[in-house]
Structure formats: C-alpha cells, structure tokens
Amino acid sequence: MAPHDLRRPFKRPAISDQQRRREASLRRQDENREEVKRRARSLVSTVLSFQAEPKSPSNDQELELQCEEILVETESSSPRDTFDVRHASKLRGPEARQWFSKQLMLPEWMIDVPDNLNTDWYVFARPAGQRCFVVSSNGTTVSRLRNGTMLHRFPSALPGGARGASRSGQSYCILDCIFHELDQTYYVIDVVCWAGMLLYECTADFRLFWLNSRLDEAGACAAPSTYHRYRFSTVPVYNCDLEGLRTAYSGALPYVKDGLLFYNKYAHYQTGNTPLALVWKDEKCSQYVIDTDSRGQVPSQQQVVLELLDDGRLATSDDPPVIFGCLNKDFIQETGLQSGILLRFAVNNNGLEFVDGKLERADLQYLGKVNRARLFADSYSKVVFQYTVRHSPLRIEELFASIGSFGEDGTVTRDVEMVGE
C-alpha cells in the first residue's frame, strides 16, 4: 500500500483492528477478583521492600506479618510473570524492572478513531514527565518508575504515607502518576487503590470521580511541607465532546503538555497494553511526536524494536504479539542471535502493508541488537502510529470530524455531514 493511499478526508481506511480489540478488551474485563487483590497487595509490599535505606526492626516485623498474610492467599499456583511478595522482594536488576514494567496500565497509540468517541471517552492533556507508581504504606511513600528504579522516597499526606499515619496493613494507597520535573509535582492520572480499597475492577468513570474527591480531601494537593514533601495534583479531565477536546488540545495548563490521553469511561485498570486507553500526539501538543535516536535526532528512516522468538519470527510486545516477519536460520546462526533478544530494524521504502485492518507485510532492514537496558519490544500500535505520522498522520481535524465538523477557518461546527457518511 503506497503511503498516499492512507489519506482520506475524515474517513480513514481500516489500517488496524484496534476497534475490534477495544470491544474484545471490554468483554474480557470480568477477571477473578481474588487475583486482582493478590496483585495489588503484592505490588505494595514489593515497592516498599526495594528500599535502599535499612528498616527498623519493628517495621521489618510488620512487613513480615503482611507478607505472611498475603502468602496465605497466594499459595496456589500463579502465572509465570507474577510473584509472591518474598520472591518479588528479592528481585534485582532486569528481573525487578521487568516485574514493575508489567504493573502499569499502558495506553496504546491511537491509530484509528474509536467509535462513540464523544459519548464513551474522556480526554485530557498528558503532562510531560516520568511515568511512575506512587505507593504509600507503613508510614512512608515510595515512587518507582516503570522499570523498577526508585525515583523518590518521601513522606506524604496520602493514606499511610507518613509517620503518625495509620500503619495498618489495609491503610495503603497506589497512584498512577507522572512526575513533572519543572514544578516538582506528581500529577495523578489514575488511582489503583485508596486506603486499602482496591479500584482495579472499577470503571474509569468511577476511579476518576473517586480520585478527584479524595486526593484534595486528604491534603495531598497542599503545598509541600515537612510531612508532605511533594505536591500532588489531578489533571483536568473532560468529556470528549467538541468543547472538551478543544480545551484539552488548546487550553492553558500549569504543566508542559505531551500529547493527549483518551480513557474509555467503562474500562477497568488493566495492567499492560490496553486499547481502552489511547495516546495521541501532534506537533502542537507535544515536543516529541516522531521518535528520536540516542542523540536526540530524528532518523531518516523509521526504526522499530522487535523480539526474536524461538522459531525466528519477529514479534511486538503485545499479548498476543503481532508478527512482523521472520529471520532465516542461517542468518541467526551466522550472527549468533538467541531467542528473546531485542533487535532493531529500519522500515524501508516499501513500508508497511495492511489488509482488512491487519499487518500483511513489513519491509524491514536489520540494524543490530538493542541496548540490554531495554526490556521490551515496541507495541504494534506504536509502530503503526510512528509510520502514519511520517506518511499520513491522524490529524486533530479528523478527531473533531468524528464528533462534529472542523471548518476551513479552524472553527468547529455541529450540523455538517462528515465526508464518507
């Protein structure tokens, strides 16, 4: 498919099956509640156990009691990528980073406009910064990046987050945040647990309502002080109608913007990649739209990172993975490549070809191995988004057009038919 064939006014051809995966993801949301509970409790204890500073004996005893309680619940067999608390607390280096990287809900890149965008979705401007989990428990608060590295350890006004706060095993909090360096603020984009109440299986609609009502009430939005070292803040969230999308895209904010995030109102908090949360960028709302190399330069060809499987196939990080091609056995033997390794490729002139919304062929050129510090391949949606950005980007006009209509003068009107309808 030639690059220019991707472009049509407002009504794009099917270049992904993202909508089908959104529908399937909503159908799969009813997971086992006990498994979700185990995961959250394990996450809290694991985050706090990866601390550089030694703990007092009394804290050690409390943590041990919590571990024993959780281990009773997790004695049955668990999936390979999850661990009980004692196991997880001993992880270091790549294993620890890999474990933590699977705890966050990671948005897919928007490569087609969702159905019912104006009724079933929220939109907000994503703060630029470092994505992290913030966990408060047992009188302290710890923030950790998605690779497991500790960002900060500090007192906070969150439940169980400072000395004098309740140290009950049930008084803990897990927030999904972005740390904004310029104003030293944790912008909270989601809540996983509050005061021991698990919110994994609550809809985004409820989680965001809960977050806005509880965070300020707890004093976490107050200015920094001795017992509350960093300020927390919510982000303005809008219904994704014409006014909400326009405000999120163009409105003034106290933080640097890095694209737009879209949340399906009915989505639960799902760890890993999910099509029920989407990220979208253009040059107006983000400094970094096209991926750059290690020197901060935009390469002349798009680059993708894929994982080499046992049979030589090249896969994305999705579950299930999307296959982009296959290396022949002779080449693998000559280069000494092993399964599980991450490899970098350039997208050649023939690009990517899609049939019925699925990848049919990819013209790739092998560049070499990826730095060992990296743990995961690119997701399918990221590869496709980066491809369309270079050839025929999904523009803000098309998002407005899915809701109303975007006029030639840049204004939005409601009573104009969309092209192709």
Side-chain angles (χ1 to χ4, degrees):
M1 180 181 293
H4 60 79
D5 292 334
L6 291 172
R7 184 190 298 276
R8 278 175 55 188
F10 301 145
K11 197 71 174 180
R12 297 171 66 84
I15 60 171
S16 81
D17 60 351
Q18 201 168 51
Q19 179 60 35
R20 281 173 285 188
R21 288 186 288 106
R22 278 190 285 268
E23 294 169 356
S25 185
L26 285 170
R27 290 194 297 267
R28 290 195 303 266
Q29 279 193 156
D30 294 331
E31 299 176 354
N32 184 278
R33 185 173 295 272
E34 290 304 313
E35 171 63 17
V36 172
K37 183 185 296 185
R38 185 202 61 75
R39 180 182 298 159
R41 290 181 177 176
S42 178
L43 174 61
V44 170
S45 296
T46 304
V47 169
L48 296 174
S49 64
F50 284 154
Q51 295 180 11
E53 297 84 357
K55 299 180 289 293
S56 66
S58 60
N59 286 348
D60 282 336
Q61 292 173 2
E62 286 195 32
L63 183 58
E64 184 69 21
L65 289 173
Q66 293 177 37
C67 289
E68 291 176 358
E69 177 187 350
I70 298 168
L71 285 171
V72 169
E73 300 180 10
T74 61
E75 250 181 328
S76 59
S77 59
S78 58
R80 184 176 179 274
D81 61 344
T82 58
F83 304 93
D84 62 50
V85 174
R86 286 177 178 168
H87 186 176
S89 64
K90 296 176 182 178
L91 296 178
R92 294 293 183 269
E95 286 185 315
R97 293 196 298 271
Q98 188 175 45
W99 190 85
F100 270 96
S101 68
K102 295 182 179 181
Q103 306 310 309
L104 284 167
M105 182 171 72
L106 304 176
E108 289 193 5
W109 293 77
M110 183 187 286
I111 49 182
D112 60 32
V113 181
D115 292 347
N116 303 318
L117 182 63
N118 62 329
T119 58
D120 293 354
W121 293 77
Y122 290 121
V123 61
F124 58 95
R126 181 193 183 277
Q130 298 171 292
R131 181 87 179 275
C132 57
F133 259 138
V134 175
V135 179
S136 62
S137 182
N138 203 32
T140 191
T141 305
V142 175
S143 59
R144 287 194 174 273
L145 305 178
R146 61 165 295 189
N147 66 3
T149 303
M150 180 185 290
L151 181 60
H152 297 129
R153 182 172 184 263
F154 58 101
S156 76
L158 299 174
R163 293 180 181 178
S166 172
R167 294 198 174 189
S168 164
Q170 297 301 316
S171 185
Y172 60 88
C173 182
I174 308 174
L175 301 179
D176 187 342
C177 301
I178 295 173
F179 182 68
H180 191 254
E181 183 73 28
L182 290 178
D183 59 5
Q184 296 285 289
T185 297
Y186 281 95
Y187 286 94
V188 188
I189 62 174
D190 213 328
V191 55
V192 178
C193 177
W194 185 270
M197 179 176 292
L198 299 176
L199 302 174
Y200 278 98
E201 293 186 317
C202 297
T203 63
D205 193 21
F206 179 84
R207 295 197 312 273
L208 294 175
F209 168 78
W210 183 276
L211 175 63
N212 280 277
S213 62
R214 300 291 179 174
L215 196 65
D216 187 61
E217 183 181 290
C221 297
S225 63
T226 303
Y227 299 104
H228 183 64
R229 188 166 300 169
Y230 292 98
R231 179 174 173 265
F232 288 79
S233 178
T234 57
V235 297
V237 178
Y238 307 97
N239 287 311
C240 197
D241 51 23
L242 292 173
E243 172 120 13
L245 180 58
R246 181 171 55 241
T247 304
Y249 181 67
S250 304
L253 292 165
Y255 52 82
V256 177
K257 191 184 303 183
D258 185 25
L260 300 182
L261 274 172
F262 297 81
Y263 267 27
N264 186 288
K265 295 180 180 180
Y266 310 107
H268 296 174
Y269 194 96
Q270 303 176 24
T271 58
N273 297 326
T274 174
L276 299 179
L278 301 169
V279 61
W280 175 90
K281 296 182 180 182
D282 71 1
E283 292 79 4
K284 182 175 179 180
C285 68
S286 176
Q287 183 180 354
Y288 303 102
V289 180
I290 298 180
D291 282 347
T292 58
D293 58 23
S294 58
R295 297 169 296 177
Q297 303 295 319
V298 175
S300 58
Q301 294 176 291
Q302 179 187 352
Q303 297 183 5
V304 301
V305 175
L306 301 170
E307 181 181 356
L308 179 64
L309 303 182
D310 292 338
D311 56 4
R313 293 184 300 165
L314 301 167
T316 65
S317 62
D318 302 274
D319 183 17
V322 177
I323 305 303
F324 269 66
C326 185
L327 296 181
N328 63 59
K329 295 181 179 179
D330 292 339
F331 179 80
I332 293 175
Q333 291 177 353
E334 290 173 6
T335 53
L337 300 178
Q338 298 178 345
S339 63
I341 196 171
L342 299 182
L343 305 175
R344 189 178 301 277
F345 296 84
V347 179
N348 280 333
N349 294 334
N350 289 329
L352 309 179
E353 184 174 340
F354 304 92
V355 175
D356 295 330
K358 294 185 178 182
L359 180 70
E360 179 73 11
R361 190 183 64 84
D363 183 12
L364 302 180
Q365 177 185 345
Y366 175 69
L367 296 180
K369 300 177 183 178
V370 174
N371 189 300
R372 291 184 179 181
R374 177 159 180 169
L375 297 177
F376 296 102
D378 287 332
S379 67
Y380 173 72
S381 64
K382 178 182 178 181
V383 174
V384 177
F385 183 89
Q386 288 293 316
Y387 182 75
T388 57
V389 161
R390 286 171 173 265
H391 298 276
S392 179
L394 175 61
R395 300 187 183 279
I396 189 65
E397 293 88 347
E398 297 176 58
L399 300 184
F400 278 116
S402 69
I403 302 172
S405 182
F406 201 83
E408 292 182 359
D409 60 353
T411 59
V412 178
T413 57
R414 297 175 183 270
D415 300 322
V416 180
E417 289 187 356
M418 290 170 51
V419 175
E421 287 293 292

